[in-house]
Amino acid sequence: MPAPRPRGHVGTRPPTYDAEPTALPAADPDDLDDLVADTVLDGARYGACTLRAVSVRGDSARYRGEPRRDALLTARFGAGDHALLLVAMATGARATPGAHRAAAEACQWIGRAVGRSHARLVEDIRDGRRGDLKSGLHRLTDRSLGKLRASASEQGVDPEEYAASLRCLLLSADPACRTRVFFGVGPGGLFRLREGEWQDIEPRAADIKGEPVVGFGSPPSETPEGDRLTMDLGIPTPPSPYEPAPEPPREPFRFRTSVARPGDTLLMCSSGLAEPLRGEPELGEYLAERWSRPEPPGLAAFLADSQVRVKGYADDRTAAAVWEA
């Protein structure tokens, strides 16, 4: 059966904005490195998997001449069957001037951390050491986001504004290893397309075990047995001079390992794609038909598929999909 013809949008009505970019972001002639391309596209084939990755500026930002808040990093560390592939994506805080820079920094920090630890990570993935992977990646994520907050302080920027969600995927280049590792902090989507049906495998907050990322969560108020850890006498406690003031609760660390089957497609994406996938069934049906073909799409076809528009959803879209041979 032939694949469905490419479509510009799904739903009963077309989106309000134009389908193509309208306005470019303002440029500073003394800081041209700060410019962000409208679209980034990448791909590779290693072992049993084919990777496609894309980050596209949303319709709203295209219309208003704002930079893409999403950042995307794809990298290979090592060589041969011992190589490790990393896909990292981040989304800067909405309505903040440095959102695109914060997202890019988050990807760079986690990329450096993973790259320096890639030999150990590869062995843990191949040997199925899930506990070691989770604790190790938790530490790397904690340090990376901590450096982002330190960068905000150095710039004199509010860390709440110079912040980003972060989602990562690790793939072994070993053809015999089909373990795929997801980790990160913040909203988005993790989906698996199996036998033509989408499965939402995003780790839920109730499923997440262990401590939240430092600065990105709060400790429990009681033990598992129900005992209160502190007694509240209604007396305000002054902040300790030796400890920083407590910060508001944040998103917990998210982690999941998935063993792929031949024919699976694993999709990790930012909220810009996850929300319309969950909110508009027609988009999921269309992508399931397009991505259930025997061969993975080429780069141009993947780009076209990933930016099929839905009215009411105009944010940046960043997605990485892995097809299993």
Side-chain angles (χ1 to χ4, degrees), residues 252-277:
F253 177 71
R254 297 176 185 269
F255 173 87
R256 186 182 185 109
T257 58
S258 174
V259 178
R261 297 180 188 173
D264 280 358
T265 300
L266 183 66
L267 173 66
M268 178 181 73
C269 56
S270 65
S271 293
L273 181 57
E275 290 179 0
L277 263 177

Side-chain angles (χ1 to χ4, degrees), residues 95-182:
T96 57
H100 60 295
R101 290 190 292 271
E105 272 202 61
C107 287
Q108 290 165 8
W109 285 122
I110 196 64
R112 290 170 185 164
V114 168
R116 291 166 181 161
S117 305
H118 79 272
R120 172 65 185 274
L121 290 169
V122 165
E123 292 304 316
D124 286 346
I125 293 173
R126 293 171 70 172
D127 295 340
R129 293 194 284 263
R130 187 180 185 278
D132 290 345
L133 278 169
K134 183 174 182 179
S135 60
L137 292 171
H138 193 160
R139 287 194 297 271
L140 297 185
T141 303
D142 187 357
R143 292 171 188 166
S144 298
L145 294 177
K147 289 182 177 180
L148 186 63
R149 296 181 68 82
S151 176
S153 298
E154 292 173 0
Q155 299 176 53
V157 180
D158 184 352
E160 297 301 312
E161 295 184 355
Y162 198 77
S165 62
L166 178 66
R167 307 177 70 76
C168 303
L169 192 62
L170 295 180
L171 310 169
S172 170
D174 185 350
C177 179
R178 288 190 179 268
T179 300
R180 313 306 179 209
V181 179
F182 161 80

Side-chain angles (χ1 to χ4, degrees), residues 64-78:
R64 292 179 169 83
E66 299 170 350
R68 174 166 47 89
R69 290 188 299 121
D70 281 5
L72 173 67
L73 172 70
T74 54
R76 172 179 61 86
F77 303 107

Side-chain angles (χ1 to χ4, degrees), residues 223-241:
T223 66
E225 290 75 26
D227 298 325
R228 299 292 296 184
L229 297 179
T230 58
M231 182 178 294
D232 185 3
L233 300 178
I235 303 173
T237 303
S240 167

